[in-house]
Amino acid sequence: MATHVSSAACLSVPCQRKIQRVRAVASEDFAAVKTNGNEKVKLGASDLKVTRLGIGAWSWGDTSYWNNFEWDDRKMKAAKAAFDASIDNGITFFDTAEVYGSRISFGAISSETLLGRFIKERKEKNPEVEVVIATKFAALPWRFGRQSVLTALKDSLCRLGLSSVDLYQLHWPGVWGNEGYIDGLGDAVEEGLVKAVGVSNYSERRLRDAFERLNKRGIPLASNQVNYSLIYRAPEQNGVKAACDELGITLIAYSPIAQGALTGKYTPENPPTGPRGRIYTPEFLTRLQPLLNRIKEIGDNYSKTATQVVLNWLIAQENVVPIPGAKNAEQAKEFAGALGWRLTGDEVNELRSLASEISPVIGFPIEYL
């Protein structure tokens, strides 16, 4: 997911939290498996398996982009309810990052800290619960070399209260030192601190370079997390999706419902507030209406919501794991309804064709580094 960096404050913090061990979801079986009624898929050529849909925790604790620039106890309880509802509905894959909700991005409380708290409370009720956690290293300009990756990872583990994390990703390409960052990912695997590694916001060229550098050490590059939705299909057009398919790298799709624009919640008369309102303007939402109308019609045929249709559209692309952000339990439950069924090929193609008639929204410039 994208992030906003505005401070040189160090993310390292003293930590005396008790370390929790979360049971990994991994298998030697390369076929999809079923757990709690939901299908799981392997991330790339790694042994790590995740539910076909995950939950993004970008909004948890954030006040710079989400939550109308505020964070309070009510929002925290809603995030906790979203976490529990996700697990209750068979979604056990959660994605966070060290900068989500941190002071470096004008946040109120670290998303990692909240997620760690939620895991601990859930495990106290159900010690056997299986949770897969992904977090990310921020390639900040003042971080140099492979050791900076390990240092940041250990700080993330401290905030999460875990002894290892399932998936560790480079949040975006660094201004320099990318080879060292990739080496740091490999070191993290070899030291047993992570089970799989990935990148985020990587172009086709950078993706291939990272794949080759890790491959020389016998370590698979499991994933590339990029902005991908029905109305933002840059990964299809810039070679990233094709490269992922060719190299056996799973594409993790952030902003899969276009930050709410594809849910039908917003209209030209009721655009989103805050920074999203500058992207999804009344003019854009007017052009979007014909597509939203057709999404609703298709959803009605399946007794599904627009949100469930557009998430299913991404899943139908194969080798794609969408991670919509859940602010509350109701959203988490709705996301789960995108699983267990499939749009037809004709419907998939029709929606892509309709979406192609709309000028695409602007993505995050970070993708083009």
Side-chain angles (χ1 to χ4, degrees):
M1 289 188 179
T3 185
H4 304 271
V5 176
S6 55
S7 168
C10 180
L11 291 177
S12 298
V13 293
C15 184
Q16 300 297 326
R17 295 179 62 191
K18 182 179 179 181
I19 299 298
Q20 298 284 319
R21 291 187 178 274
V22 175
R23 177 174 298 179
V25 182
S27 173
E28 296 296 328
D29 179 11
F30 288 88
V33 296
K34 297 277 187 176
T35 300
N36 296 328
N38 284 334
E39 185 180 2
K40 293 191 176 184
V41 292
K42 192 158 63 73
L43 284 186
S46 74
D47 288 334
L48 181 63
K49 289 190 175 181
V50 301
T51 44
R52 275 199 174 273
L53 183 146
I55 297 295
W58 181 9
S59 69
W60 296 359
D62 177 81
T63 57
S64 62
Y65 196 85
W66 302 97
N67 302 308
N68 293 321
F69 304 102
E70 64 181 21
W71 183 259
D72 54 28
D73 186 63
R74 180 178 61 85
K75 292 181 183 295
M76 185 182 72
K77 289 179 179 178
K80 173 62 163 56
F83 174 82
D84 285 330
S86 299
I87 294 177
D88 291 341
N89 285 274
I91 300 174
T92 56
F93 178 38
F94 296 88
D95 177 85
T96 184
E98 62 176 326
V99 292
Y100 293 165
S102 71
R103 281 180 287 181
I104 201 170
S105 58
F106 297 112
I109 182 172
S110 166
S111 173
E112 289 180 328
T113 299
L114 287 173
L115 184 54
R117 183 184 304 171
F118 299 162
I119 292 170
K120 179 181 178 181
E121 292 173 356
R122 182 75 184 208
K123 285 182 69 65
E124 287 174 351
K125 296 179 180 178
N126 179 12
E128 299 303 312
V129 67
E130 295 182 344
V131 184
V132 173
I133 301 300
T135 192
K136 309 181 196 73
F137 165 85
L140 302 169
W142 56 87
R143 284 179 162 171
F144 300 95
R146 63 205 301 169
Q147 185 57 44
S148 64
V149 176
L150 293 175
T151 299
L153 171 57
K154 291 173 182 177
D155 287 339
S156 287
L157 292 174
C158 183
R159 286 185 290 271
L160 287 162
L162 304 176
S163 58
S164 67
V165 74
D166 298 281
L167 177 67
Y168 196 50
Q169 307 152 96
L170 302 183
H171 205 149
W172 61 84
V175 178
W176 49 68
N178 284 287
E179 290 185 348
Y181 295 154
I182 297 298
D183 291 341
L185 289 182
D187 295 343
V189 173
E190 292 177 350
E191 291 191 21
L193 297 175
V194 303
K195 299 176 179 67
V197 291
V199 292
S200 182
N201 298 301
Y202 265 50
S203 66
E204 177 188 1
R205 178 183 62 81
R206 288 191 180 278
L207 184 66
R208 292 183 182 277
D209 289 346
F211 173 87
E212 291 297 335
R213 194 167 186 87
L214 285 169
N215 191 51
K216 290 178 181 178
R217 298 173 66 174
I219 298 172
L221 181 63
S223 59
N224 184 19
Q225 184 179 143
V226 295
N227 188 352
Y228 187 27
S229 72
L230 182 57
I231 57 172
Y232 190 78
R233 300 182 311 285
E236 299 177 357
Q237 300 152 357
N238 59 21
V240 166
K241 176 65 165 65
C244 284
D245 294 343
E246 173 195 339
L247 299 174
I249 299 169
T250 299
L251 190 155
I252 299 176
Y254 71 75
S255 296
I257 54 177
Q259 300 177 18
L262 285 172
T263 66
K265 174 181 179 180
Y266 301 113
T267 66
E269 297 75 30
N270 179 41
T273 58
R276 286 180 295 163
R278 295 195 292 269
I279 301 174
Y280 304 102
T281 63
E283 294 76 17
F284 179 82
L285 292 171
T286 297
R287 298 195 302 271
L288 190 61
Q289 287 309 300
L291 174 61
L292 291 178
N293 291 339
R294 183 55 182 145
I295 290 171
K296 184 179 185 304
E297 290 175 357
I298 292 175
D300 288 344
N301 292 336
Y302 288 95
S303 297
K304 296 293 181 180
T305 67
T307 298
Q308 292 164 345
V309 170
V310 295
L311 290 173
N312 193 273
W313 184 89
L314 278 173
I315 293 170
Q317 306 311 309
E318 301 297 346
N319 195 35
V320 175
V321 175
I323 50 168
K327 286 186 175 182
N328 54 55
E330 290 71 24
Q331 290 178 346
K333 292 174 184 176
E334 183 178 19
F335 297 156
L339 301 170
W341 62 285
R342 186 64 65 92
L343 292 167
T344 68
D346 287 343
E347 290 165 339
V348 168
N349 293 333
E350 179 189 2
L351 291 177
R352 178 182 279 105
S353 178
L354 286 172
S356 297
E357 298 175 7
I358 306 168
S359 298
V361 295
I362 299 172
F364 295 100
I366 205 168
E367 299 168 35
Y368 306 106
L369 290 176

